[in-house]
Amino acid sequence: MSIAAWLSWEHLVSHVRSNPVTTESRSSNRTDDAREGESFDVKEAASEAKSAAQERVVAGADAGVGKAADGFGAAAEKMRDRADQDDGLRSTLETKAADAMEKTAGYLKDRDSNELVKDLEEFVKAHPIQAALGALAAGYFLGKIAR
């Protein structure tokens, strides 16, 4: 027997002597394995539930964006009808407002909610003051509507 083999054999024997395997420790190992399996199953189930919830939120947001686009389109159509009945500066302003609403409706229809969030983040980074003023104005008007 070589020295390396003898040393590894001695190491193995000393390890077995210092860590005896009993029936109790084997069942404990099986219990630990079962717990790890259950833990993995719980983590996997939680991950799947999280993914499903995220998908539902995104689907709801996309549906809301679609409704908003439809609303802007309908408002633009009504604004155009009013512009046809009016004349002068009022008709011009109503036509421009209808054009802006149609452009907004088209923008919303062409993008999903993730793209809208990305565009909004880019706008806020590029124009923080305008974004803050817009948020304040929106909050003010929503507060008035809610009353």
Side-chain angles (χ1 to χ4, degrees):
M1 183 184 269
S2 71
I3 295 177
W6 183 79
L7 287 174
S8 64
W9 176 255
E10 283 297 313
H11 175 72
L12 179 63
V13 169
S14 68
H15 178 73
V16 169
R17 286 184 182 152
S18 64
N19 298 313
V21 177
T22 64
T23 307
E24 193 174 286
S25 66
R26 275 191 229 133
S27 66
S28 171
N29 287 341
R30 280 191 222 126
T31 304
D32 290 344
D33 291 345
R35 285 184 190 148
E36 286 179 24
E38 289 173 5
S39 173
F40 180 73
D41 291 343
V42 170
K43 287 179 184 178
E44 188 175 321
S47 176
E48 289 174 5
K50 179 182 173 187
S51 295
Q54 287 174 337
E55 288 174 11
R56 284 193 304 270
V57 168
V58 168
D62 287 340
V65 168
K67 287 180 182 179
D70 293 342
F72 275 112
E77 187 177 320
K78 287 181 182 179
M79 187 72 71
R80 286 209 189 280
D81 291 343
R82 289 167 82 189
D84 291 342
Q85 296 171 359
D86 293 334
D87 57 346
L89 180 62
R90 185 174 186 167
S91 174
T92 303
L93 292 175
E94 289 171 340
T95 301
K96 287 186 179 190
D99 291 342
M101 287 182 203
E102 285 178 348
K103 185 177 177 182
T104 301
Y107 173 81
L108 292 174
K109 287 180 182 177
D110 292 342
R111 289 170 176 73
D112 66 2
S113 59
N114 291 328
E115 291 172 319
L116 291 174
V117 169
K118 184 179 176 184
D119 290 348
L120 180 62
E121 287 173 350
E122 290 174 6
F123 178 80
V124 170
K125 287 178 184 176
H127 310 285
I129 294 173
Q130 292 90 334
L133 291 175
L136 285 172
Y140 175 76
F141 288 116
L142 288 174
K144 288 287 187 180
I145 291 170
R147 287 183 188 178

